[in-house]
């Protein structure tokens, strides 16, 4: 799914930090995540020697981060940034602009805010026309009124807002030189911070005719501690939200931001809090669906359109007031609750004097056709929605089960099998594979809903690919969910556990391969159906076969399972 080569993050800004490790990957989104350079199926006897407790603890700590590590492998050109790292980057950018342009840090901050925190854009504009830039952002070269008059602390000055007399040491002014007392300044700044939200970052002089910018130096000296914190938070939010290469993680209460280049048109990213989302639309990861179709599907699920379809399919209009009525009793005598009109449910004729309506009358109007189409549309939507929703719930359950297994069952398994928890990474990877594949299967059903009915070949092939992938996923999910339990209460190392490990690793690999092909085919719009036909692609999907004993995925070019051969001549556990 992800190309084996990676590209460097191309940025027009200098948002870098040497202590942030760039995430690169050569692993597919739906692959198993195992390193082919090592044998993942067996552990040597040395792996169970725990003489060096320090080394064992370090290894265990590393493996406990297996989920984060695997998710890092699945991203390219992506960096997760904490609040502290973001502030450090912001300060570095401000310091650089201040140094290059020979302006104060407060002025550099104003410049960057007005140019979406792009260092290169600020530099280009500044050296092209400094005067125009100053005029645009409110940085004045000369003050309107000389602030030198406030140097005499005994001088009495009238505030331009409250018109009260104050000594000059209680008067403040911005670069424009307009004089106001500290109390009015504080109220003005506090009102903007608490009422204007992020708009306080563009605060200007209180004088209506003046557009001089108010820098953070004024905020720090005149605002309360609470307001200073709010202003600082708004500044950090601006640094992330106005920057085209960074976004906040959409998870509730998460304070991490994600820096992403969007290389190769792949927009799935995962935060350090393990929340996966689409960088482009900020919905959850939805490959193989495109963002526009996802928007339509979510809108359809939340709209009233299906209620209308239900009314058309299962309700009839009152002959008198035309309000829709649903039949909820056995007899055909209907009474409208709105207009109290009584009529027959079958023929919609007046109930008074009604005898029977068993004689067939051919109808030529389009109402029956419209009702039939509405019913078919509702049934189609219900089919795909139920399966989409079921896999969504199964994905969430699998995610919770994975955490429970790591927190509780790994300890029991370690005691029963006398194996360190560090060596259960293959179980965690299997659960992660289940979560990823459930997500892909979830969105494949919305893909199927929008698949045109006039392309039966594509629909047939889509259902074949989806069915094969779903079948392998169910085997993997059942294995990691149910078969693991039999080893929790067994005393001593079990030979069957070695076989279980081999089976689970094989299923993880096979499932990843199937879903890789499914996602790739759907992202290509099932275009190969037109050029090769479904048979050719079915053969592509079946380019490996699973051993009946260990479910290892063997290439179609060999006839005997090479893992069974390895197991016969190996020591296992």
């Amino acid at each position: 799914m992800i190309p084996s080569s990676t590209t460097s993050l191309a940025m027009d800004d200098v948002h870098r930090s040497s202590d942030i490790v760039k995430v690169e990957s050569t692993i597919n989104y739906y692959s198993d995540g195992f390193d082919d350079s090592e044998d993942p199926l067996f552990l040597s006897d040395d792996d169970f020697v725990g003489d060096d407790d320090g080394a064992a603890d370090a290894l265990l700590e590393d493996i406990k981060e297996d989920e984060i590590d695997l998710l890092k492998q699945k991203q390219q050109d992506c960096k997760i940034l904490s609040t502290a790292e973001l502030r450090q980057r912001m300060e570095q950018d401000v310091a650089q602009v201040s140094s290059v342009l020979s302006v104060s840090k407060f002025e550099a901050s104003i410049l960057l805010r007005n140019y979406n925190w792009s260092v290169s854009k600020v530099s280009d504009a500044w050296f092209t026309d400094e005067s125009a830039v100053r005029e645009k952002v409110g940085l004045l070269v000369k003050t309107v009124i000389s602030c030198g008059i406030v140097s005499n602390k005994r001088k009495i000055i009238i505030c331009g807002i409250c018109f009260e007399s104050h000594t000059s040491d209680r008067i403040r002014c911005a670069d424009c030189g307009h004089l106001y007392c500290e109390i009015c300044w504080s109220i003005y700044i506090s009102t903007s911070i608490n009422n204007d939200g992020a708009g306080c970052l563009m605060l200007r002089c209180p004088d209506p005719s003046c557009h001089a910018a108010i820098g953070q130096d004024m905020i720090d000296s005149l605002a309360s501690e609470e307001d200073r914190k709010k202003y600082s938070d708004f500044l950090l939010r601006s640094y992330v939200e106005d920057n085209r290469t960074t976004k906040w993680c959409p998870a509730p209460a998460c304070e991490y931001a994600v820096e992403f280049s969007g290389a190769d048109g792949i927009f799935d990213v995962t935060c350090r809090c393990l929340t996966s989302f689409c960088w482009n639309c900020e919905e959850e990861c939805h490959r193989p669906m495109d963002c526009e179709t996802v928007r339509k599907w979510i809108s359809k699920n939340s709209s009233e359109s299906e209620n209308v379809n239900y009314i058309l399919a299962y309700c009839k209009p009152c002959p008198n007031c035309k309000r829709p009525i649903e039949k909820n009793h056995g007899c055909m005598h209907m009474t409208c609750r709105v207009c109290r009109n009584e009529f027959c449910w079958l023929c919609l004729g007046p109930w008074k004097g009604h005898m029977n309506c068993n004689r067939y009358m051919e109808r030529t109007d389009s109402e029956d056709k419209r009702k039939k189409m509405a019913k078919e549309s509702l049934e189609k939507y219900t089919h795909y929605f139920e399966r989409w929703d079921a896999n969504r719930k199964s994905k969430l359950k699998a995610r919770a089960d994975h955490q429970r297994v790591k927190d509780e069952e790994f300890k029991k398994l370690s005691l029963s099998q006398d194996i360190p928890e560090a060596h259960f990474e293959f179980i965690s990877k299997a659960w992660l594979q289940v979560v990823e594949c459930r997500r892909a299967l979830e969105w494949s059903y919305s893909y199927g809903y929008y698949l045109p009915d006039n392309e039966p070949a594509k629909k047939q092939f889509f259902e074949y690919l989806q069915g094969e992938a779903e079948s392998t996923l169910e085997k993997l999910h059942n294995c990691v969910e149910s078969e693991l339990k039999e080893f929790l209460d067994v005393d001593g190392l079990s030979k069957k556990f070695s076989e279980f490990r081999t089976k689970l690793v094989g299923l993880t690999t096979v499932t990843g391969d199937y879903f890789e092909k499914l996602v790739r085919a759907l992202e290509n719009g099932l275009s190969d159906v037109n050029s090769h036909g479904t048979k050719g692609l079915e053969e592509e999907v079946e380019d490996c076969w699973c051993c009946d004993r260990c479910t290892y995925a063997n290439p179609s070019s060999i006839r005997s399972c090479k893992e069974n051969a390895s197991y016969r001549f190996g020591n296992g556990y």
Side-chain angles (χ1 to χ4, degrees), residues 380-392:
K380 176 183 177 181
Y381 170 76
T382 302
H383 171 86
Y384 287 102
F385 176 80
E386 285 180 344
R387 287 153 180 79
W388 175 85
D389 190 54
N391 279 283
R392 180 184 65 85

Side-chain angles (χ1 to χ4, degrees), residues 72 90 193-194 206 224 252 321 377:
K72 283 182 178 181
M90 182 173 64
I193 291 175
N194 290 284
S224 65
C321 66
S377 174

Side-chain angles (χ1 to χ4, degrees), residues 513-554:
D513 290 342
Y514 267 106
F515 273 86
E516 179 183 352
K517 291 179 173 64
L518 172 65
V519 171
R520 188 178 65 215
L522 298 189
E523 286 182 331
N524 292 334
L526 300 172
S527 56
D528 289 339
V529 172
N530 297 330
S531 57
H532 302 294
T534 59
K535 182 179 179 181
L537 279 176
E538 288 174 9
E539 291 174 353
E540 178 188 350
V541 174
E542 296 176 342
D543 58 0
C544 63
W545 58 276
C546 302
C547 175
D548 293 335
R549 176 181 176 184
C550 66
T551 72
Y552 182 79
N554 295 280

Side-chain angles (χ1 to χ4, degrees), residues 60-71 272 274 398-414 421-422 424-432 480 484 488:
L60 181 58
E61 185 65 26
D62 291 339
I63 298 302
K64 284 183 178 179
E65 299 297 328
D66 62 288
E67 184 167 340
I68 294 178
D69 293 341
L70 182 60
L71 291 171
R272 198 172 297 170
L274 306 181
R399 188 179 295 162
D401 287 345
H402 176 211
Q403 191 62 44
R404 177 183 55 79
V405 168
K406 289 178 64 178
D407 295 341
E408 301 175 9
E409 295 188 0
F410 275 12
K411 296 178 181 178
K412 295 180 181 179
L413 195 62
S414 178
E421 292 184 40
F424 299 142
E425 181 185 3
F426 71 98
I427 299 176
S428 186
K429 288 182 177 180
W431 274 112
L432 286 176
V480 73
L484 177 65
L488 297 178

Side-chain angles (χ1 to χ4, degrees), residues 303-535:
S303 70
E304 295 296 323
S305 61
E306 296 313 316
N307 292 340
V308 175
N309 279 340
Y310 182 87
I311 290 174
L312 292 175
Y314 297 104
C315 300
K316 291 185 178 182
C318 170
N320 183 44
C321 66
K322 307 303 181 184
R323 301 290 180 88
I325 297 176
E326 181 181 13
K327 187 174 182 293
N328 58 1
H329 288 87
C331 69
M332 304 302 166
H333 181 193
M334 306 298 296
T335 301
C336 178
R337 292 184 177 180
V338 179
C339 66
R340 309 306 299 176
N341 177 48
E342 300 181 45
F343 61 94
C344 172
W345 174 258
L346 296 177
C347 67
L348 300 182
W351 188 256
K352 186 177 181 179
H354 182 271
M355 297 297 294
N356 53 61
C357 52
N358 61 311
R359 180 177 297 179
Y360 173 72
M361 300 286 292
E362 184 176 358
R363 303 182 63 172
T364 58
D365 59 344
S366 60
E367 184 177 344
D368 289 344
K369 182 178 180 181
R370 182 170 63 92
K371 185 180 296 185
K372 181 180 178 181
M373 291 177 60
K375 185 175 181 179
E376 290 176 351
S377 174
L378 180 61
E379 290 176 349
K380 176 183 177 181
Y381 170 76
T382 302
H383 171 86
Y384 287 102
F385 176 80
E386 285 180 344
R387 287 153 180 79
W388 175 85
D389 190 54
N391 279 283
R392 180 184 65 85
K393 292 176 180 177
S394 182
K395 173 193 67 181
L396 298 177
K397 180 68 164 52
R399 188 179 295 162
D401 287 345
H402 176 211
Q403 191 62 44
R404 177 183 55 79
V405 168
K406 289 178 64 178
D407 295 341
E408 301 175 9
E409 295 188 0
F410 275 12
K411 296 178 181 178
K412 295 180 181 179
L413 195 62
S414 178
L415 293 174
S416 66
Q417 298 297 312
D418 194 23
I419 300 174
E421 292 184 40
H423 296 293
F424 299 142
E425 181 185 3
F426 71 98
I427 299 176
S428 186
K429 288 182 177 180
W431 274 112
L432 286 176
Q433 191 72 72
V434 169
V435 172
E436 291 287 342
C437 293
R438 285 292 178 193
R439 180 184 291 116
L441 191 60
E442 167 192 351
W443 289 107
S444 72
Y445 277 104
S446 58
Y447 183 99
Y449 177 79
Y450 289 105
L451 199 61
D453 293 330
N454 59 356
E455 298 186 54
K458 282 189 176 182
K459 187 173 183 179
Q460 180 183 4
F461 181 58
F462 160 74
E463 291 174 349
Y464 169 79
L465 284 180
Q466 187 187 52
E468 290 295 309
E470 188 168 19
S471 177
T472 59
L473 174 57
E474 293 299 335
K475 293 178 183 178
L476 172 63
H477 202 161
N478 178 70
C479 182
V480 73
E481 185 178 46
S482 302
E483 297 184 25
L484 177 65
K485 295 179 180 179
E486 66 177 276
F487 301 104
L488 297 178
D489 300 322
V490 177
D491 295 331
L493 183 62
S494 172
K495 181 180 179 182
K496 288 186 177 180
F497 188 75
S498 175
E499 297 175 355
F500 166 76
R501 186 184 195 279
T502 303
K503 177 180 180 180
L504 186 59
V505 171
L507 277 173
T508 302
T509 304
V510 172
T511 306
D513 290 342
Y514 267 106
F515 273 86
E516 179 183 352
K517 291 179 173 64
L518 172 65
V519 171
R520 188 178 65 215
L522 298 189
E523 286 182 331
N524 292 334
L526 300 172
S527 56
D528 289 339
V529 172
N530 297 330
S531 57
H532 302 294
T534 59
K535 182 179 179 181

